[in-house]
Amino acid sequence: MPGTIRRVTDQPPRTSLPAPITTLRFLARPTTLLRRLQRECGDTFQFELAGVQPTVMITRPEDVKTIFTAPREDVPTVSSSTALGLFLGEHSVLTLNGEGHLRQRRLLSPSFRGDRLKPWGPVIEQLTHERIDTWRPGQEIRLQEEMQAITFDTILAIIFGMEDAARQDALRTVIVEMTKRATSGPRSMFDMVLASRKKLAGPMAKMGKEIDRLVYEEIAHHRALPDLAERNDIMSLLMLAEDEDGSRMSDQELRDELVTLLLVGHETTATSLSWAAERFLRTPAAMARLQEELAGPDGGAAYIDAAIYEVLRDRPVVPIIGRNLLKPLTLDGYELPAGTTVNVALYLVNHRADTYENPFVFNPDRFLGKRPDTYAWVPFGGGIRRCLGAAFAEMEMRHVMKILYSRVKMSAVDPTPERPILRSVTLAPQHGARVRIESIDARPEPVIETAPLAAA
């Protein structure tokens, strides 16, 4: 009887490229580099950037399942020790670990249930109509920026329930300024390096303080509302949410969750909407099918859902997510010691040829009538740390896409597909999804005029 086959090495292979070269290539062409490393090293490999300890990258669904279903105390998130954690705060559900994380999830989850979100669909469609009404035939636009305007106003309406135009404009101005700086190439990298050392300096520090001031003012304003218990915006729901012992979120906890939704929520969904247009415009057969389905009996609902799954598979907004191992763990046959950082390579998991036929072809039909596999489709992470805003993001995409592709005909400006680039920590279209508006149909009536702030 043959003995147990063991690997020659107890460490995953690493690329022969020097760390500085890997870093430059990751910043310039992240998905190209990840694919090269997988071809060169296999499904599990070590990934090293200049000035950062090597991490282990995993791409197999079975290993993803192992990480996502491991005891939460054994595999905490790395977010709290990153630059992102400094911006979001120590009470954000993205940065917390252990019991604190579970408490915040319990308080947050009810507000993001489908039945809570459903009444807001018409509001998202109204905001989409309003933005489209500012466009003109023949105009060239960057959909990344236009979608950010829609998703930001959606957060102001649904999350904050903001009705005062002056307060809306003040918060919008500073968030847009911070987003531009955080996604502006070398300058953003300098800011992130400072932040990773637990320092905020210069313009970023000033903008951070201004965001805090405005958010705390909004919290105070909300707490004083006489109809707080009757309101349906998510901030109101969070203020009234009670833990098992009857405790509620403090102002600091609310601030961290609201800033998380502001800084992360609007940018990621806008990027996915931009990729949806970029992918459809490069795939005429899929665009023709979408137009046909929109005119069908269900208004294109089933096909739009399939398209959302396919966009998030083909162009996941976040390329990797990390966990720290506090106990040894075996992945792909490698015995990884405690202290190892393991990254799930979302982009590579979503493009496995043994899971998806023609994985680099955009094809919404692959998801018609079926949902993606839990551990082979991971744009929102998974397990106890799966993104709480996933249902919100999908709902928002669903309503924006229905209005956008029903009213607007457009064409791609760039002759070749836009490649993914890193904008801070997200994968975005290289040129912001540049399109030319060919024609715009009139807005259908009726459309609601105000957000349903009273409880549905």
Side-chain angles (χ1 to χ4, degrees):
M1 183 174 180
T4 301
I5 297 176
R6 298 184 180 276
R7 293 189 180 275
V8 174
T9 174
D10 61 356
Q11 291 293 315
R14 67 173 66 190
T15 179
S16 58
L17 293 173
I21 299 299
T22 302
T23 303
L24 291 173
R25 292 189 179 183
F26 185 67
L27 294 175
R29 298 196 173 189
T31 57
T32 301
L33 175 68
L34 289 173
R35 289 166 65 182
R36 169 181 171 159
L37 295 181
Q38 186 180 30
R39 290 194 304 270
E40 181 181 318
C41 302
D43 288 334
T44 304
F45 54 89
Q46 293 191 63
F47 183 71
E48 185 176 2
L49 299 178
V52 180
Q53 284 293 106
T55 65
V56 173
M57 201 76 73
I58 61 173
T59 66
R60 304 190 316 156
E62 54 265 48
D63 295 325
V64 174
K65 181 178 181 179
T66 298
I67 280 288
F68 286 164
T69 59
R72 65 180 186 275
E73 62 272 15
D74 295 347
V75 288
T77 180
V78 302
S79 297
S80 59
S81 60
T82 65
L84 184 64
L86 182 63
F87 289 99
L88 302 186
E90 62 182 13
H91 299 290
S92 166
V93 73
L94 288 185
T95 60
L96 280 167
N97 283 302
E99 289 301 319
H101 173 255
L102 285 182
R103 175 181 182 271
Q104 289 303 97
R105 284 191 76 94
R106 285 195 297 266
L107 292 171
L108 289 165
S109 294
S111 300
F112 290 92
R113 293 197 316 256
D115 59 330
R116 291 282 196 184
L117 297 174
K118 187 175 181 180
W120 291 101
V123 176
I124 298 171
E125 294 185 10
Q126 167 75 358
L127 294 170
T128 306
H129 280 302
E130 291 175 356
R131 194 66 189 183
I132 290 173
D133 288 344
T134 67
W135 304 345
R136 297 291 178 267
Q139 181 182 6
E140 291 186 5
I141 60 175
R142 296 179 187 269
L143 273 181
Q144 178 83 26
E145 297 174 0
E146 298 298 313
M147 295 300 102
Q148 281 178 327
I150 294 172
T151 58
F152 188 80
D153 285 348
T154 295
I155 284 179
L156 292 185
I158 300 177
I159 306 296
F160 282 74
M162 291 181 71
E163 299 170 295
D164 183 274
R167 295 205 312 273
Q168 287 180 348
D169 289 343
L171 192 54
R172 182 185 295 107
T173 297
V174 68
I175 291 292
V176 168
E177 186 179 357
M178 177 172 273
T179 300
K180 285 182 177 179
R181 183 173 180 99
T183 57
S184 60
R187 186 172 63 177
S188 70
M189 290 306 300
F190 175 74
D191 291 330
M192 295 299 277
V193 167
L194 284 178
S196 68
R197 297 175 180 175
K198 301 298 181 184
K199 297 178 181 178
L200 280 179
M204 292 296 275
K206 182 178 180 181
M207 286 183 277
K209 290 179 181 178
E210 179 65 6
I211 290 172
D212 281 356
R213 183 185 72 79
L214 293 169
V215 169
Y216 278 120
E217 281 185 3
E218 198 59 32
I219 290 172
H221 171 79
H222 240 69
R223 289 202 186 279
L225 291 172
D227 63 341
L228 180 63
E230 285 74 47
R231 292 173 65 89
N232 199 34
D233 59 273
I234 288 177
M235 187 195 290
S236 298
L237 298 176
L238 294 182
M239 284 183 170
L240 299 172
E242 294 185 349
D243 203 356
E244 295 170 348
D245 61 1
S247 63
R248 295 178 176 177
M249 281 194 234
S250 66
D251 283 3
Q252 177 69 56
E253 289 171 325
L254 281 168
R255 175 268 173 207
D256 290 357
E257 301 301 356
L258 293 170
V259 169
T260 297
L261 291 165
L262 269 173
L263 294 180
V264 177
H266 91 282
E267 169 79 8
T268 53
T269 305
T271 300
S272 292
L273 286 165
S274 304
W275 274 125
E278 203 280 339
R279 296 288 78 199
F280 270 113
L281 291 175
R282 306 296 179 181
T283 318
M287 179 64 87
R289 176 73 181 274
L290 173 61
Q291 297 296 330
E292 179 184 339
E293 294 290 336
L294 286 170
D298 73 341
Y303 193 76
I304 287 177
D305 280 352
I308 290 171
Y309 296 148
E310 178 67 349
V311 169
L312 294 174
R313 181 200 70 81
D314 193 33
R315 292 292 187 268
V317 174
V318 179
I320 55 179
I321 55 174
R323 299 285 187 270
N324 287 320
L325 300 189
L326 299 187
K327 290 185 177 180
L329 189 66
T330 299
L331 296 171
D332 195 12
Y334 297 104
E335 295 180 4
L336 305 179
T340 303
T341 297
V342 175
N343 281 317
V344 179
L346 279 65
Y347 179 82
L348 296 179
V349 173
N350 285 2
H351 286 84
R352 290 188 63 90
D354 55 0
T355 303
Y356 299 104
E357 183 179 359
N358 297 321
F360 295 99
V361 173
F362 178 72
N363 178 22
D365 286 5
R366 74 173 84 240
F367 290 119
L368 269 177
K370 63 179 180 180
R371 294 185 64 85
D373 181 85
T374 303
Y375 302 109
W377 182 87
V378 286
F380 296 112
I384 193 63
R385 302 202 70 92
R386 188 176 191 272
C387 177
L388 273 172
F392 182 85
E394 289 181 10
M395 179 199 71
E396 191 172 4
M397 290 184 69
R398 191 174 298 122
H399 288 284
V400 172
M401 289 173 68
K402 183 180 81 170
I403 301 304
L404 178 63
Y405 298 111
S406 293
R407 288 190 62 192
V408 183
K409 300 294 187 297
M410 46 192 165
S411 59
V413 172
D414 298 298
T416 58
E418 296 190 33
R419 59 181 175 84
I421 61 166
L422 275 176
R423 284 171 49 99
S424 185
V425 296
T426 61
L427 289 176
Q430 179 183 12
H431 302 298
R434 295 196 302 178
V435 302
R436 180 178 296 103
I437 305 301
E438 303 296 343
S439 64
I440 304 175
D441 291 344
R443 181 200 296 207
E445 298 292 345
V447 176
I448 66 168
E449 296 181 356
T450 57
L453 294 177

